[in-house]
Amino acid sequence: MGFFKTFKSDLPAGLVVYLVALPLCLGIALASGAPLFSGIITGIIGGIVVGFLSDSKLSVSGPAAGLTVIVFAAIATLGSFEAFLVSVFISGIIQLVLGYARAGIIGHFFPVSVITGMLTAIGLSIILKQIPHAFGIDLNDIDTASFVDKYGENSITQLFLIDDFILLGATIISVLSMGILFLWDTQFIKKNPVTKLIPGPLVVVILGIVLNEFFKSNMSALALSSAHLVELPELNGFASFIGELRFPDFSQLSNPDVYVVAGTIAVVGSLESLLSLDASDKLDPNKRISSPNKELKAQGWGNMLAGLIGGLPLTAVIVRSSANIGAGGKGKLSAVFHGVLLLVSVLFLAPWLNYIPLAALAAVLIHVGLKLNKVSIYKNAIKSGADQYIPFFSTIIVILFTDLLKGILFGIVIGFIFVLRSNFRSAIIFSKVKNNYMIQITNNLYFFHKAQLRRMLQRVPKDSDILIDGTSVSFIDHDILLTLKDFCATSERNNINVTIKRSETAAISLFKTEEV
């Protein structure tokens, strides 16, 4: 009965999360180039299945903006949504294996600068791809999975080619929607006891419907046709719901691209889930700590099911999780209840949901993209120094011009180079007082430190004294030890007095106190 213990807080919170999640589920599916129905399917699975299996009491899962670029590119690469579902299913298996292998710590091995760069690049991609929809240009060939399309046009130059297709009605809806979303970010709205409970995206969706219906009645030239509105199947009960599900094309198991996509979804989705889980735990008023390994298992089961019945890949999502916490959620029931409400919506409310203009959803997504590109993010990266802002900007640029996985790998390589550079500089300290020298080893030494050590030893002149201290490190490469021993062996001929500092607690035998 513990699941229902906090139902008085969880049911209202679940309602708020549902109101936030509904437009996001539709919008993320739109941005992903996938059927809008698939976004709702994933929201249902993220709420009911992952919400029940996750160790977190407050985290909420569903389709994530962070995966839109991957999904769009993957559907184009694999040739069909059904082939893509195979990748989603396999990604779930990978996450399940990671969970049982206790790999929940993988998030700690990715530099913060690279993760921030990844999210920022995703935000930029979302903005560039949704601007056409904001102006009523909802043709599939306008969107492209990559920054540069097959005609040589990139996402920026394409924006200058759309003026002949702009719909004034859609533009009015998206501009007013953006204004409302910015208004909803102000302290005036956030502190008001009434408006703070009403999600901005919900207000935008309602505004879009009302405006378009007003255009139909009074200004028909501005009215949007069904081609520019949400298009969900109108169901007649649960049987017709089953009939609308899409299933994976397992004949694509022989396609190597399927596994590349699956691995990308598993890695990026797991990272986003673990980062969101950590953020949710920090926001939890009770400061409960959730198991990252159980989270990976829950995400794995969720993605396997999503792949089997036609959903988008899912992750834990901080926007919905923070909405849950802000609305007073205390237990798992809030996440599960929001999933139930999404199921009820798709079963019984599709005729009304199909009044939502795509321009309104585009405004919601552009707003999400702008939040991922706050000026403060760029300022903080630059202030943190070159070892942070170079991997950060490198990741952004490579993602925009290639794809997400290449950008992340490139950013990690750049970040690793800076780690090596920092370690290289700080591992050995060389100091001099008159004719007395000291070499202090402060970090573990590897073969690539040998040249630096040799240069330092060569600076020690004849007829001098030197102290070598390596008592505080746990590992010194064999090549480094040979270099030190060779120096000690040849020091007498140059009248160099070498003192090796020793300690009983030293890990390296050369610096360990000799037994009497």
Side-chain angles (χ1 to χ4, degrees):
M1 292 297 292
F3 184 77
F4 296 98
K5 186 177 180 180
T6 55
F7 76 94
K8 290 183 179 179
S9 301
D10 289 344
L11 293 183
L15 175 61
V16 172
V17 177
Y18 157 74
L19 296 175
V20 172
L22 178 61
L24 287 175
C25 287
L26 295 170
I28 288 168
L30 172 70
S32 302
L36 298 186
F37 191 61
S38 65
I40 300 291
I41 292 293
T42 298
I44 295 168
I45 295 171
I48 298 175
V49 178
V50 179
F52 186 78
L53 294 176
S54 173
D55 186 52
S56 174
K57 301 298 187 292
L58 298 172
S59 179
V60 181
S61 295
L67 293 176
T68 54
V69 178
I70 296 174
V71 175
F72 200 108
I75 294 173
T77 300
L78 298 177
S80 71
F81 184 66
E82 287 73 16
F84 170 72
L85 292 177
V86 179
S87 293
V88 178
F89 176 75
I90 295 172
S91 75
I93 296 175
I94 295 172
Q95 287 182 307
L96 204 58
V97 171
L98 290 174
Y100 280 105
R102 305 182 68 81
I105 60 171
I106 59 173
H108 304 308
F109 291 94
F110 287 80
V112 172
S113 58
V114 175
I115 298 300
T116 307
M118 175 192 77
L119 294 173
T120 303
I122 288 168
L124 288 171
S125 297
I126 290 172
I127 292 168
L128 291 171
K129 299 304 180 185
Q130 291 307 305
I131 287 176
H133 289 294
F135 289 106
I137 304 164
D138 302 309
L139 303 174
N140 290 330
D141 58 355
I142 292 293
D143 286 330
T144 122
S146 58
F147 187 76
V148 180
D149 68 13
K150 60 185 178 181
Y151 304 110
E153 296 290 344
N154 62 55
S155 296
I156 295 176
T157 59
Q158 283 174 344
L159 301 181
F160 296 98
L161 304 175
I162 65 177
D163 56 322
D164 292 335
F165 304 96
I166 290 176
L167 297 180
L168 184 57
T171 304
I172 292 172
I173 289 172
S174 60
V175 169
L176 289 176
S177 296
M178 288 300 300
I180 286 176
L181 290 169
F182 282 120
L183 175 65
W184 242 251
D185 281 338
T186 62
Q187 291 300 313
F188 173 77
I189 297 294
K190 289 180 178 180
K191 291 183 178 180
N192 187 289
V194 177
T195 55
K196 73 176 184 179
L197 297 176
I198 305 172
L202 177 65
V203 178
V204 163
V205 164
I206 294 173
L207 172 73
I209 294 173
V210 171
L211 276 176
N212 196 46
E213 291 305 304
F214 174 79
F215 293 155
K216 287 180 181 178
S217 301
N218 301 280
M219 306 170 72
S220 58
L222 298 179
L224 299 177
S225 67
S226 60
H228 304 286
L229 306 177
V230 165
E231 190 174 353
L232 290 174
E234 298 183 10
L235 307 177
N236 297 312
F238 195 75
S240 57
F241 171 79
I242 299 298
E244 290 294 335
L245 298 179
R246 306 275 286 271
F247 303 104
D249 178 10
F250 284 113
S251 67
Q252 294 294 317
L253 284 172
S254 59
N255 183 353
D257 289 337
V258 164
Y259 299 94
V260 174
V261 172
T264 305
I265 293 171
V267 171
V268 177
S270 296
L271 278 175
E272 186 162 350
S273 292
L274 294 173
L275 291 170
S276 297
L277 183 73
D278 185 53
S280 298
D281 285 347
K282 289 177 181 176
L283 292 172
D284 183 0
N286 296 320
K287 302 303 177 185
R288 290 167 287 192
I289 304 299
S290 307
S291 167
N293 297 314
K294 288 183 179 178
E295 183 66 25
L296 286 178
K297 293 176 189 176
Q299 296 294 329
W301 285 116
N303 276 315
M304 288 172 65
L305 181 57
L308 287 175
I309 64 173
L312 296 173
L314 55 81
T315 74
V317 191
I318 190 57
V319 173
R320 272 154 270 189
S321 302
S322 58
N324 185 25
I325 295 165
K330 290 184 170 59
K332 289 185 175 187
L333 181 60
S334 57
V336 174
F337 183 56
H338 115 275
V340 172
L341 290 176
L342 286 173
L343 177 59
V344 170
S345 294
V346 80
L347 286 176
F348 304 108
L349 303 181
W352 288 272
L353 296 178
N354 287 341
Y355 284 103
I356 300 174
L358 296 180
L361 297 181
V364 171
L365 288 165
I366 291 171
H367 188 250
V368 170
L370 291 172
K371 282 190 171 183
L372 294 173
N373 280 269
K374 292 179 180 177
V375 175
S376 60
I377 294 174
Y378 292 90
K379 285 184 176 178
N380 290 335
I382 294 170
K383 285 181 181 178
S384 299
D387 61 331
Q388 295 298 309
Y389 71 71
I390 291 180
F392 171 76
F393 284 110
S394 299
T395 302
I396 293 173
I397 292 168
V398 176
I399 286 175
L400 286 178
F401 282 92
T402 58
D403 60 52
L404 199 65
L405 185 59
K406 289 176 183 175
I408 293 172
L409 292 176
F410 186 80
I412 290 171
V413 170
I414 297 295
F416 182 68
I417 290 172
F418 273 95
V419 169
L420 288 180
R421 180 170 172 266
S422 175
N423 183 272
F424 189 84
R425 286 184 170 182
S426 63
I428 310 173
I429 298 174
F430 182 83
S431 56
K432 172 192 174 184
V433 178
K434 294 183 179 180
N435 208 35
N436 298 305
Y437 296 81
M438 182 176 75
I439 287 180
Q440 185 177 12
I441 302 169
T442 58
N443 285 322
N444 293 343
L445 297 185
Y446 303 91
F447 68 90
F448 49 79
H449 289 106
K450 185 166 66 172
Q452 181 191 21
L453 178 62
R454 282 183 177 277
R455 285 195 300 270
M456 290 181 175
L457 293 173
Q458 287 168 1
R459 291 169 61 186
V460 181
K462 295 180 180 180
D463 307 316
S464 60
D465 296 320
I466 181 170
L467 173 67
I468 302 175
D469 178 7
T471 57
S472 63
V473 297
S474 59
F475 175 81
I476 296 180
D477 187 82
H478 180 68
D479 286 3
I480 302 293
L481 289 173
L482 285 179
T483 300
L484 290 172
K485 290 176 180 178
D486 288 345
F487 176 77
C488 293
T490 59
S491 60
E492 286 187 14
R493 74 178 67 161
N494 295 316
N495 197 29
I496 298 174
N497 179 36
V498 180
T499 302
I500 303 292
K501 183 177 180 181
R502 301 181 186 277
S503 169
E504 292 182 357
T505 58
I508 310 301
S509 59
L510 179 63
F511 301 100
K512 205 168 185 66
T513 302
E514 296 178 352
E515 295 182 2
V516 180

